[in-house]
Amino acid sequence: VDNAGVDLDLNFAKLDGVEGRDLSIKLPFTAGGLSELRLQGKVSDDLADVMALLSQTNLSQSVLKPFQSWHVQGAADASFELILPLSEQDAAEPYFNLMLAVSDTDLKIDDLNLSGTLVSGVLNYDTEKGIYNSNFDIKAFSGRAKLDLFGNVLASGALAISANVVGDLDLQDVMVWQKLPDLLTDATQGKVAFNADFAIDAERSGVIKINANTDLFGASLALPKPFSKTANIKKPLFLTIDLSPEGVDVTLKYDQKYRSKLRFSELGFYGGQALINEPEDVSFVISPGLSLQGQLVHVELAAWRKLFSSPEESGIPQPLRLAVPEWLSYVSLIADQIRLNEDNLLNNAKLE
């Protein structure tokens, strides 16, 4: 204690089970008395305990608010600085700076129903700057990726979270995550490189937008022509996922020819529309079941029958009919040719 104020140094301290070290507490004197409290230090503990401690502060309504549905567990090292105004006449807001380093940390995001691992990474947060110089090496969907995280402070004081992600993943794992029909999921194999970005709505809880693209090199699609694809061929895929508390909308553009918009609820696939070589855009109105419309050059009916048939029906001669899955509500396809079997070929046919 001197004329400048109170200065207290602590080598070690514990608060709510979280271990802190190299702590410095300063209370500067001013003409009006004590103007502010300055606290600096370092923390080494389990990240879940550190986040639980931070959530008891005003940070729960700022930097932590967009991450309320994120759960973490693993080693963490942090350094921080807190400046807390003490004078009632001082209108200044509290200042907080945090540098958080993580390694081998389990991550679960309830809003996305997504689990992964933060292999390593650093988070930098400042009351005035937001989130900056923050990046993570992550494992998810049987692949690895680098995530750059940003957080801009809005005029309202809310934090707008966004990120860029570059890496690779197993495409079938993604389809299982999004609860796509088994017919599509089972036909997909392989790992692909991708680029993605996402944004968390600063004002509405649980609202997230994800954009992703890949050339699908390395993935195969075991569907009848013209939808089949081998692993050594590149075909561009653009994907947008809109998440809200009401459900998930998935908008897809594949190989410049195929477009779709699908909706999923807690119960799984709800409905949507898929267009093949059609000039118009997909509808904004989504009805139950899948509506399939388009134009094809050639259709092999036997291949589609085999795809829709159950395993016990395989190899058994069947009547000339196509069993329609329950999730398919409407079909309108025009084909230049439809081969019914080896002996029968239809020209300029329409399937409804």
Side-chain angles (χ1 to χ4, degrees), residues 19-153:
E19 297 182 355
R21 66 184 191 279
D22 300 333
L23 300 173
S24 171
I25 302 174
K26 297 180 184 294
L27 289 163
F29 291 154
T30 64
L34 296 175
S35 61
E36 62 186 23
L37 167 67
R38 295 187 174 212
L39 175 62
Q40 291 180 307
K42 299 177 181 179
V43 171
S44 293
D45 217 312
D46 186 88
L47 183 55
D49 294 333
V50 175
M51 298 302 288
L53 177 61
L54 293 175
S55 67
Q56 300 178 40
T57 69
N58 290 338
L59 295 176
S60 62
Q61 298 303 313
S62 56
V63 62
L64 298 182
K65 188 175 182 179
F67 303 104
Q68 289 176 346
S69 71
W70 296 36
H71 307 284
V72 288
Q73 186 171 9
D77 291 293
S79 60
F80 65 91
E81 178 184 9
L82 173 65
I83 302 177
L84 186 64
L86 299 178
S87 173
E88 295 182 358
Q89 287 75 36
D90 192 346
E93 294 292 328
Y95 170 81
F96 186 70
N97 180 280
L98 174 69
M99 189 286 293
L100 180 67
V102 300
S103 60
D104 296 325
T105 299
D106 294 329
L107 171 66
K108 185 175 185 296
I109 306 175
D110 290 343
D111 289 339
L112 301 177
N113 191 27
L114 173 64
S115 298
T117 301
L118 302 177
V119 179
S120 62
V122 176
L123 171 72
N124 284 288
Y125 169 76
D126 187 281
T127 304
E128 300 170 353
K129 296 180 181 179
I131 296 176
Y132 64 100
N133 293 344
S134 300
N135 49 75
F136 300 89
D137 180 15
I138 60 177
K139 288 198 298 187
F141 301 123
S142 302
R144 294 285 288 266
K146 180 182 178 182
L147 183 149
D148 294 318
L149 187 65
F150 310 92
N152 296 321
V153 181

Side-chain angles (χ1 to χ4, degrees), residues 175 182-188 220-230 254 303-304 307-308:
M175 301 180 80
D182 291 343
L183 181 148
L184 297 177
T185 301
D186 295 342
T188 305
S220 61
L221 193 59
L223 291 175
K225 294 180 179 180
F227 304 100
S228 60
K229 180 191 173 302
T230 57
Y254 170 58
W304 286 103
L307 181 68
F308 286 119

